[in-house]
Amino acid sequence: MSQATDAATLEKILAGAAAAARPAASATPAERARWLVAAADALDAAADDLVPLAHAETHLPATPRLAGELKRTTFQLRLFGEVLTDGEYLGATVDHADPDWPMGPRPDIRRVKTAIGPVLVFAASNFPFAFSVAGGDTASALAAGCPVVLKAHPGHPELSALTGRIVREALIGAGAPDGIFDVISGQEEGVTALKDPRIAAASFTGSIPGGRALFDIANARPRPIPFYGELGSVNPVVVTEAAIAARGEAVAKGYAGSFTLGAGQFCTKPGLLFLPEDHGLTETLRSALAGAAAQPMLNDRIASGYREKLAKLREVPGVDVVAESPSTSPAFTPTLLATTGKQFLEGGATVHEECFGPASLIVTYADQAELLRLLDVIEPGLTATIHGEESDADWIRPVLPALARIAGRLLWNDWPTGVTVSWAQQHGGPYPATTAPTTTSVGTAAIERFLRPIAWQGFPDALLPEPLQEANPWQLPRRTDGSR
C-alpha cells in the first residue's frame, strides 16, 4: 500500500501545476512534441526496471503482456507528437470580415482551441502502463498543453512512483516547465485534488461506483469541471446462424480466448454471447475452456469483487453453468454460464451488468425480434460485436442500429479485446461505459477532451495567437472563409 501524499506536498504539486499551465499552453506544438518523445525514450530505456516491477505488483505476465503494454504506452506518446506536428487538432478557423454576409455584415472572427488547464488523471489498475501514470490520458493532456497531476492507483504504488519520476525528469529535461507533471497517492488526497479550483478537468478509468462518485464530486464543485470517466462495459457479441454454420468452431474458440484474456480483466472483455437457439456450440465451448490454467487477478479487492458477482450470477433462476474448473482466490479458472432469452429479460441487473473477471454468459435467442428485445435491455458499453456472413446482410442490417445505440465501437467478425491506438479509434460509449459519450480515451481524438475553443473577434493581426495570424506562421491546416 502506498503512503498518502502529505498536505504540504499536495499543495506544492497543485500550485506547481497551476504555475505551469500558462507556459505549457503557450509552448509550440513542436516543443510539446519533443517533450512527449523524450518521455517515451526515457520509458523505453528503463524497460528492464519497469517491466519486472509491474509484474511483481500486478501478477500480470512480464512477457508478452507487460513488455507489449509498455511499447504501446511509448508508441502513443510518440503518436501524440505526430498529432501536434499535424496541427489539425487545433481546429483553426478564419472568417474574414464580410460586409455582404447574408446575415448582415460579418466581423473578422477567428477560432482556435487551447489547453483547458491542469488535468487530474486517476490511473487504472488493470493496465499499469497504458492506462496508468504515462498512459493515454496523460499523453493526450500533455499534448494538449495541460499540466498533469496523476493520482496513482494503489495496486501498483512502486511502479507508479518510478514511472512518475522517469516521466517528470524527461519532460523537464526536454524543456517543459517545472510543475508539468507529478504523482500523488491516497484516496482522500485524490478527492481533495479533484475539488481544488486549480484543476480544470479530470479523467478516470475504473469501476462504476468509484467513477460515479468522482463524477458527482466534479459536478458538485462551485465551478463544475469536465470529468471523463470510463466505468464499465458488458461488450455483447451477437452470432448469427450462418456464422455458426460456416465457422462455428472458430467463433467458439475465439470467444473463449477473448473473454479469458488477462483473467477477464479488460474493459473490453466480451461478457455476453448471444447465440441462436439450438446453436450446437456447447461442447465446442467446453472443449475450448477445458484445462485452462488458473490466472491470478490484479489484487485481493478485485478478486473478492469477482467472486461475489459470480456467486450472484449463479443464483439467478435459469442461469446454468456450462463450464468451470475448481479454483482458489486470488487465481481463477474461467466460468461460462448460460440462460435463455426469456430468463435474461426476467433476470434484472445481475445478468445485464458487467462481471469483471474470467466469466461470461451465453444468452440464446429464438429469432431476430427476440434478439432486438434483449439488446434493448442491456447496459450501453464500449463495444458491440457481430459475427455473421455477408450472405446474412438483410438479416443483420436491422440489428445494427440496436448495436450502434449501445456502443462506441462496432466490430465485424473480430474480438473487442484488441484496442489499437490510431487516428480513427473510438474507445467510449453511452453511460455507464463513459461519463462523456462524445469523447474517446484511446486514439488521437483523445486530445479533444483537454482543449477548449476560443473565438477572437476583430483583433489586429499582431495580437492574435500564432495559429490564427494571417501569415499562418505554424503552417497549420485551416478552414478559411468556409473553405479548407
Side-chain angles (χ1 to χ4, degrees):
M1 183 66 69
S2 59
Q3 184 175 357
T5 302
D6 64 79
T9 301
L10 179 60
E11 170 57 29
K12 181 180 178 181
I13 289 171
L14 291 169
R22 183 172 295 177
S26 300
T28 67
E31 288 171 332
R32 295 205 294 271
R34 285 197 296 272
W35 303 349
L36 297 175
V37 170
D41 290 345
L43 290 169
D44 280 338
D48 289 345
D49 295 322
L50 292 169
V51 171
L53 185 54
H55 169 65
E57 289 194 306
T58 66
H59 307 131
L60 296 171
T63 55
R65 166 63 196 270
L66 289 171
E69 189 185 327
L70 179 57
K71 289 181 180 179
R72 173 195 178 98
T73 301
T74 58
F75 169 80
Q76 64 188 2
L77 284 163
R78 295 187 178 96
L79 182 60
F80 277 109
E82 295 181 27
V83 172
L84 292 167
T85 302
D86 172 78
E88 188 177 4
Y89 76 99
L90 286 168
T93 305
V94 175
D95 287 342
H96 291 105
D98 183 356
D100 299 319
W101 187 242
M103 289 290 295
R106 183 182 73 191
D108 186 283
I109 302 177
R110 305 179 184 219
R111 184 180 190 268
V112 71
K113 296 175 184 176
T114 190
I116 197 169
V119 173
L120 175 64
V121 174
F122 289 84
S125 63
N126 57 337
F127 285 88
F129 292 121
F131 285 84
S132 189
V133 175
D137 287 350
T138 294
S140 53
L142 291 172
C146 300
V148 171
V149 177
L150 189 289
K151 172 17 186 98
H153 194 280
H156 41 265
E158 293 185 25
L159 177 67
S160 297
L162 177 58
T163 306
R165 287 196 298 272
I166 292 170
V167 170
R168 186 176 189 279
E169 291 172 4
L171 292 171
I172 294 174
D178 192 25
I180 189 69
F181 178 82
D182 222 321
V183 176
I184 65 172
S185 298
Q187 181 173 326
E188 290 303 318
E189 289 67 25
V191 171
T192 298
L194 182 59
K195 293 179 177 179
D196 192 281
R198 290 166 290 193
I199 294 296
S203 66
F204 169 90
T205 301
S207 70
I208 293 176
R212 181 54 192 256
L214 295 172
F215 173 72
D216 290 344
I217 290 170
N219 282 282
R221 290 174 30 146
R223 292 184 180 178
I225 59 172
F227 183 89
Y228 302 106
E230 182 197 319
L231 311 185
S233 184
V234 293
N235 305 300
V237 175
V238 173
V239 183
T240 68
E241 290 184 356
I244 293 174
R247 48 192 167 83
E249 182 177 359
V251 170
K253 290 180 177 179
Y255 188 77
S258 186
F259 92 79
T260 62
L261 185 66
Q265 298 172 112
F266 283 24
C267 54
T268 52
K269 181 205 78 174
L272 292 173
L273 178 62
F274 291 98
L275 295 176
E277 291 179 352
D278 303 320
H279 53 79
L281 293 182
T282 300
E283 290 306 317
T284 305
L285 286 162
R286 284 193 181 117
S287 297
L289 295 170
Q295 299 181 72
M297 301 195 77
L298 291 160
N299 54 58
D300 291 340
R301 181 184 60 80
I302 290 176
S304 176
Y306 169 67
R307 188 168 53 247
E308 291 175 7
K309 183 61 186 282
L310 182 58
K312 291 180 180 178
L313 264 175
R314 295 179 58 151
E315 292 171 358
V316 175
V319 171
D320 301 316
V321 176
V322 173
E324 68 175 347
S325 301
S327 57
T328 304
S329 178
F332 295 89
T333 53
T335 297
L336 184 60
L337 307 167
T339 192
T340 67
K342 179 178 183 297
Q343 290 162 331
F344 183 80
L345 290 170
E346 295 172 353
T350 301
V351 292
H352 300 167
E353 296 174 350
E354 178 185 26
C355 178
F356 191 74
S360 193
L361 177 66
I362 297 169
V363 183
T364 57
Y365 62 91
D367 51 28
Q368 185 194 75
E370 183 175 44
L371 174 63
L372 292 174
R373 289 195 297 273
L374 298 173
L375 294 176
D376 192 49
V377 302
I378 65 174
E379 283 191 338
L382 295 166
T383 74
T385 299
I386 188 158
H387 279 263
E389 298 294 302
E390 290 192 32
S391 60
D392 264 345
D394 289 341
W395 191 94
I396 291 169
R397 195 171 289 111
V399 178
L400 296 180
L403 298 179
R405 181 188 64 82
I406 59 173
R409 179 165 61 109
L410 306 185
L411 296 95
W412 169 258
N413 292 344
D414 204 346
W415 300 106
T417 35
V419 187
T420 192
V421 180
S422 71
W423 295 83
Q425 185 59 274
Q426 173 62 28
H427 192 66
Y431 186 88
T434 59
T435 58
T438 59
T439 67
T440 179
S441 62
V442 178
T444 60
I447 194 174
E448 296 172 7
R449 298 172 298 168
F450 306 118
L451 297 164
R452 67 178 183 90
I454 299 177
W456 299 72
Q457 181 170 327
F459 278 77
D461 196 68
L463 294 179
L464 287 169
E466 285 90 338
L468 298 180
Q469 290 175 3
E470 197 65 21
N472 193 6
W474 290 357
Q475 295 300 296
L476 297 174
R478 301 197 307 197
R479 180 180 292 277
T480 303
D481 295 329
S483 300
R484 292 189 185 278

